[in-house]
Amino acid sequence: MRELHSTRDTWHLTHSRPDVLVDYFNPWTPMTRQISQLTHRFGMVSALCEQVSVDEKLLELRNALAFHLLRAATWWRMDFAAPRVAGMPTTRFMAHIHAHIDRVAMDETLFDVLTWQHHMRRDDPSHVMVLGTDPLCRGGTSILYGLDGQRRFRFALHAADTPHVTEWDDAAHTDFVSTCLAARARHGVVETGREALGEWDDARLEHARAAKYHTLYFRQDTTRPVIDRYIEVLGEMTRCRSRFGQFEFGNILNHVAFQLVRTAHERQVSIADVLREGTTQPINLRVANSIKKRARAHVAHGVDPLLREGLDAMLDNVVAGYSLSDQF
């Protein structure tokens, strides 16, 4: 048994590192998958840390995953509560984070900006902690990202001929993706000397609409049927004009579809039965099949790969439904 634990420990030390699981500066990486990976790996590593004799490196990994789970929720502005998300009391979860930041100075600085601001001019928008550069940026101008004293994300453009001059743009946002979209729009203007493409404006407006769904990602909405949310998000996606908006709302729609199919599985009914509860409209078999297809897309692209086999099996056991209506 100890050999089995050692094998698992070694695997996680290689494959469950936060830098492997999260790409903070690339908004095209589905945030649902990254959050799923952090949450699931934190749970798995925490369980391994309950062993009588545990490797110190594994404890450090658990603590790092706790910190990055909180960082990711802040990065994408998701409501976070340790008991609901991490499955443990807040005090215990925060103890893991403090153990991590005691070891990693950069993360301690970021945590300070997000909390007490002992090292910042509190609430000062002109005092900005540098977070990093945009890895996808092209051309002679680079993009620098930061977090200011009001805990808002900022960006600055660095021209090749003045790399040491940093003038932070006045625009400030409560989530990173909003700042990234604004930065890339501005970057395009500087690089081309032309007005920003309309798609950037569309992407920013569409992300603003999507942000509320990200905020509530960890919350289970029991106030209305899941199908209502599915129809709402589907409507939002069809309104999107930018590629990023379609990508973002497509991922949200896949997640809601998965929640709907999981509800059917938990109740041991068909997808059609769940749909009937939330609408008086006739249910077409194609709709139920489309929802199941989107649920599969969520499992394929929006969850930790370690969960896929079990979730695919769950989806296999849920039927779309037959004789749903007279409309075939």
Side-chain angles (χ1 to χ4, degrees):
M1 181 63 72
R2 177 57 197 163
E3 291 181 358
L4 177 60
H5 280 304
S6 296
T7 301
R8 291 175 179 173
D9 294 359
T10 302
W11 190 91
H12 281 292
L13 289 172
T14 301
H15 299 284
S16 295
R17 303 192 320 272
D19 62 296
V20 173
L21 303 179
V22 192
D23 186 356
Y24 286 110
F25 294 100
N26 183 1
W28 289 97
T29 303
M31 62 180 69
T32 53
R33 183 176 71 220
Q34 298 179 87
I35 285 290
S36 173
Q37 290 177 155
L38 285 172
T39 306
H40 186 224
R41 304 299 174 88
F42 173 76
M44 296 182 74
V45 173
S46 293
L48 290 173
C49 287
E50 297 301 318
Q51 303 170 52
V52 175
S53 177
V54 59
D55 188 337
E56 183 67 25
K57 291 293 184 182
L58 199 66
L59 294 174
E60 292 176 0
L61 176 60
R62 176 201 61 193
N63 298 339
L65 288 168
F67 171 80
H68 282 275
L69 187 51
L70 181 61
R71 174 181 172 175
T74 303
W75 203 260
W76 297 310
R77 201 186 178 193
M78 297 173 167
D79 282 350
F80 182 89
R84 181 174 61 246
V85 179
M88 64 176 56
T90 301
T91 51
R92 183 181 174 190
F93 183 78
M94 293 306 297
H96 296 329
I97 290 179
H98 283 292
H100 172 74
I101 62 178
D102 284 346
R103 293 182 51 258
V104 183
M106 181 63 73
D107 290 345
E108 190 276 333
T109 302
L110 176 57
F111 186 76
D112 180 74
V113 175
L114 296 173
T115 53
W116 305 290
Q117 297 190 338
H118 291 153
H119 309 313
M120 294 282 289
R121 293 194 295 271
R122 187 183 299 271
D123 295 327
D124 185 351
S126 67
H127 197 186
V128 184
M129 173 191 175
V130 175
L131 296 172
T133 57
D134 194 320
L136 303 180
C137 192
R138 299 291 184 269
T141 305
S142 60
I143 300 175
L144 192 67
Y145 294 110
L147 192 66
D148 69 19
Q150 295 183 338
R151 303 180 181 89
R152 296 187 300 177
F153 290 92
R154 305 282 294 278
F155 76 88
L157 300 184
H158 269 182
D161 56 347
T162 57
H164 302 298
V165 177
T166 301
E167 294 185 6
W168 296 99
D169 193 271
D170 291 337
H173 303 275
T174 54
D175 73 291
F176 173 77
V177 175
S178 294
T179 298
C180 180
L181 293 174
R184 292 184 181 181
R186 180 61 182 159
H187 179 269
V189 173
V190 171
E191 284 293 305
T192 64
R194 301 175 182 175
E195 288 296 319
L197 294 175
E199 181 165 346
W200 285 115
D201 290 330
D202 292 334
R204 283 183 284 179
L205 291 172
E206 289 155 9
H207 172 69
R209 300 203 306 267
K212 70 175 184 179
Y213 297 99
H214 301 321
T215 298
L216 300 175
Y217 176 81
F218 290 119
R219 295 183 178 274
Q220 188 70 32
D221 184 359
T222 58
T223 61
R224 55 179 179 157
V226 183
I227 185 58
D228 284 0
R229 279 184 285 140
Y230 184 87
I231 293 171
E232 178 182 277
V233 176
L234 178 61
E236 290 281 11
M237 189 182 74
T238 57
R239 291 169 54 197
C240 289
R241 300 170 60 182
S242 73
R243 289 174 299 164
F244 186 78
Q246 292 167 1
F247 162 80
E248 191 167 27
F249 271 107
N251 287 330
I252 296 170
L253 189 64
N254 292 345
H255 182 223
V256 177
F258 173 78
Q259 292 176 318
L260 197 153
V261 176
R262 184 173 58 188
T263 298
H265 172 74
E266 292 170 349
R267 297 181 185 176
Q268 296 186 327
V269 298
S270 70
I271 297 173
D273 291 326
V274 176
L275 295 180
R276 285 196 190 97
E277 296 176 5
T279 180
T280 58
Q281 299 297 318
I283 303 301
N284 191 296
L285 180 59
R286 289 190 296 273
V287 174
N289 284 330
S290 176
I291 288 173
K292 189 171 183 179
K293 183 177 180 180
R294 283 200 167 275
R296 286 200 184 279
H298 176 71
V299 171
H301 305 291
V303 303
D304 186 345
L306 298 184
L307 294 170
R308 287 175 188 165
E309 183 177 356
L311 293 178
D312 276 331
M314 182 270 285
L315 294 177
D316 290 340
N317 290 328
V318 178
V319 297
Y322 303 95
S323 300
L324 304 181
S325 72
D326 295 331
Q327 297 188 5
F328 287 100

